[in-house]
Amino acid sequence: MVSIPVPLAVATDPAHGGRWTSLRAGDREWLWHRAEPRRERAVPGDAFADAGGLEECVPTVRGLPDHGDAWSRGWTPAAAGGRGGDGTYTVECPDFRLTRTVRTGEDGVVADYRLAAAPGYRFVWAAHALLDVSPHGRIDLPEGAAGRLYADGGAQWSPFGWPRAGGTPLDALGPDDGTALGAVVDSAHAAVHDGPDTLRFALEADGQPVSVAVWRNLRGFPEHAPYRSVGVEPMLGRVFDLAAAGEGDAARVPSSGEAAWRLTVSAATTP
């Protein structure tokens, strides 16, 4: 059957880390949320407060600072053109400045990023998207793509080929089973299928390592009060923790002092 593109509408919260708070395709809200009163009070140095949506994680995901330095800071409208409503916002962090321009159009939601820092600065970035997906949902990445499985929540990983990691098919979400697995897969594209609906991600970043992180938490995390959350997260870099990045595992600011990349998100449905 032929899928039909569906326009996407996006909402963000610049005052609270630039978080994407809504990604709506028609009547469907794709972003998952949970009540987390700590989120709006978060300041740099706080432990991550998981309210769902899509968080901008940079310069790391795991490690220090927890989920990066940008999610806990206010973003300001860019001065370019003297307009604050053009979708361009900037966040200033100790080692870098990140600027994001978001627009919607026929090709979906397009987010252009520019990170300014000292030449050679290494970082990991993730569009930490937590999705509202049913147990029938499926994650679509290239068959056999090289992956790194993080089974214990730490820095150690084991190699696998998508989608099977040991006896676990990571592409099938299924009902809650008390497990929580993270993986990073070498791919610039990902899709999530749920019933008739599809959400697609495409990442463009010349000269940088790109991947997709998958967070398959079926009420296995956190230990004291587990909940279900499914993450499909386009990334620059190939590790969750910048401190564990080997050669070629992290993005790097070129000699110009600015790294640039583009994330495109699109939606479709099958009648």
Side-chain angles (χ1 to χ4, degrees), residues 82-105:
R83 297 183 298 161
D86 60 357
T88 299
Y89 288 84
T90 296
V91 59
E92 299 280 352
C93 295
D95 298 322
F96 63 90
R97 180 177 69 252
L98 179 65
T99 300
R100 182 189 70 194
T101 299
V102 176
R103 64 174 177 83
T104 57

Side-chain angles (χ1 to χ4, degrees), residues 58-60 95-97 113-125 204-210 235-239 242 244-261:
V58 61
T60 191
D95 298 322
F96 63 90
R97 180 177 69 252
Y113 296 84
R114 302 191 310 275
L115 186 144
Y121 178 72
R122 300 174 81 224
F123 66 96
V124 171
W125 164 84
E204 304 168 66
D206 289 344
Q208 304 286 7
V210 297
M235 293 182 68
L236 297 187
R238 297 192 180 98
V239 291
L242 178 62
E247 185 64 29
D249 287 342
R252 188 182 296 270
V253 174
S255 59
S256 65
E258 185 174 273
W261 63 97

